[in-house]
Amino acid sequence: MATIRELARGSRRPWEGSLRSALWRTGVRIGVMGVVAVVLANINLPWRPETLCALRQFTGIPCPLCGTTTAAVHAGNLDIVGALAANPVTVVIIALLATSPLTGVGRWWETMSNRPRVLLCIALFAAAEIWQLFRYGLLP
């Protein structure tokens, strides 16, 4: 057991890195994301604009993140297929973020050098944009 002096110096707490801690952090993340999704699914604002995306509003071209709110609404209604149809890239990224304490995705991301990180982000945004262009019928 760590002493108060060790904890005050910022040494590692005995429960950090344990499975119990990872399960707790994952459960909290999933719980918070679930509450947000359920709230979004049950809000019905008559004055809500057709789209929250400024790029799509002014140009008609969806951005890579278009469909994220729709995906959250579908997830809040437990319609995972609908969420994946709205924006599969953001659904997968959010699932990875939620489970990162268990899966080690966070540690993997931290150990990666900048170039692969940037390339991965570009690839994910490109895949999301291509999906949205197909989804809105802008690509055949």
Side-chain angles (χ1 to χ4, degrees):
M1 187 78 175
T3 65
I4 293 175
R5 195 174 293 183
E6 289 171 336
L7 290 174
R9 283 191 309 222
S11 65
R12 186 178 166 147
R13 288 172 273 174
W15 59 85
E16 279 186 355
S18 69
L19 178 60
R20 183 175 176 183
S21 173
L23 286 170
W24 172 255
R25 289 180 289 147
T26 300
V28 168
R29 289 177 184 201
I30 290 172
V32 168
M33 290 177 186
V35 167
V36 169
V38 168
V39 168
L40 281 173
N42 289 297
I43 290 178
N44 187 10
L45 304 174
W47 47 266
R48 182 177 172 233
E50 181 182 326
T51 181
L52 300 176
C53 178
L55 180 67
R56 193 172 120 216
Q57 180 74 30
F58 295 113
T59 67
I61 299 170
C63 75
L65 298 177
C66 272
T68 302
T69 305
T70 303
V73 169
H74 283 290
N77 288 320
L78 299 177
D79 178 14
I80 303 305
V81 173
L84 288 169
N87 195 327
V89 175
T90 56
V91 171
V92 170
I93 289 172
I94 288 170
L96 287 173
L97 287 173
T99 60
S100 68
L102 286 175
T103 62
V105 171
R107 283 188 296 276
W108 171 76
W109 183 260
E110 289 173 3
T111 60
M112 188 186 302
S113 64
N114 282 338
R115 183 177 172 95
R117 272 193 228 180
V118 169
L119 292 174
L120 181 59
C121 287
I122 290 170
L124 289 172
F125 273 103
E129 182 62 20
I130 290 168
W131 174 263
Q132 293 307 322
L133 293 174
F134 275 114
R135 179 176 170 231
Y136 284 98
L138 298 172
L139 286 178

